[in-house]
Amino acid sequence: KAGVTQTPRYLIKTRGQQVTLSCSPISGHRSVSWYQQTPGQGLQFLFEYFSETQRNKGNFPGRFSGRQFSNSRSEMNVSTLELGDSALYLCASRRDREGYTFGSGTRLTVV
Amino acid sequence: AQSVTQLGSHVSVSEGALVLLRCNYSSSVPPYLFWYVQYPNQGLQLLLKYTTGATLVKGINGFEAEFKKSETSFHLTKPSAHMSDAAEYFCAVTEGAGGTSYGKLTFGQGTILTVHP
């Protein structure tokens, strides 16, 4: 069974640009959440979507946004990129209260 | 509010020795607890989870963890370390039944496990 698929795997952007990351959950999983991983701050929750609705949001500025489509695929967008946005962005999907399954992540480098 | 503390950012053991990675949590509602492993340049792989029921949980690759409510702990153990266990391990908590934000995982800072031959 296919896992959580994140695209692209690597991305290099310039300060001030915007970026969109994509996540395809495991078939049948309706919940998708996003996390940012940095050496300094560790793993931090960005937001969670369930049936196209944002159900929970972490403590990130409004430059970070997301959405979920009717097929449960999700995208997150970061506008006006800053150097500090360089991180591994992880997507996770789950069905009900089962353990979250994570993708391999998108490594974003802002230069 | 939830929080997770992993004691020891680095743990080093010899191959064949006991692995013990410590995790303490705080949660205002009964928690669901998880251990994840991360290999370099990869995502997180679920090792095991505690939701309800038996407090001793067995996971993949010979790992197990015990939920101790009185100690607010969920330590990860493996009787005999293997070289392939070298990785970073994360403990995580989310609200269980009755919670309103159980979709959010709160992670500890991680413990890097080194296994010496």
Side-chain angles (χ1 to χ4, degrees), chain B residues 11-12 20-21 28 32 35-36 39 55 58 61 64-66 72 77 80 82-84 93 103 106 108 110 112 116-117:
Chain B
V11 170
S12 181
L20 171 60
L21 305 183
S28 55
Y32 288 175
W35 275 100
Y36 285 89
Y39 297 97
T55 56
K58 294 186 185 299
N61 301 337
E64 62 181 40
E66 186 171 11
T72 60
T77 61
S80 177
H82 192 273
M83 296 294 289
S84 61
V93 64
T106 298
I112 295 173
H116 296 288

Side-chain angles (χ1 to χ4, degrees), chain A:
Chain A
K1 135 176 164 178
V4 178
T5 303
Q6 291 189 247
T7 56
R9 284 297 312 274
Y10 301 92
L11 207 49
I12 300 175
K13 289 287 187 179
T14 303
R15 261 186 312 175
Q17 287 186 314
Q18 73 165 17
V19 67
T20 298
L21 312 182
S22 179
C23 172
S24 294
I26 291 173
S27 178
H29 286 197
R30 296 165 64 190
S31 166
V32 173
S33 53
W34 290 87
Y35 293 81
Q36 181 196 64
Q37 185 177 24
T38 59
Q41 299 298 317
L43 282 153
Q44 294 186 287
F45 172 77
L46 280 157
F47 26 65
E48 187 203 28
Y49 287 86
F50 182 84
S51 294
E52 302 180 65
T53 301
Q54 186 181 89
R55 195 160 61 171
N56 212 342
K57 189 178 189 306
N59 190 25
F60 277 82
R63 300 185 297 107
F64 291 81
S65 63
R67 60 178 176 169
Q68 187 179 33
F69 302 96
S70 59
N71 62 357
S72 294
R73 190 177 71 84
S74 177
E75 289 180 347
M76 69 163 281
N77 183 277
V78 188
S79 62
T80 318
L81 284 165
E82 301 176 359
L83 295 179
D85 297 333
S86 294
L88 180 66
Y89 290 88
L90 293 166
C91 167
S93 75
R94 65 183 178 91
R95 184 181 69 225
D96 300 326
R97 295 174 187 269
E98 294 180 6
Y100 301 71
T101 301
F102 283 81
S104 297
T106 294
R107 184 163 297 282
L108 171 65
T109 302
V110 183
V111 298

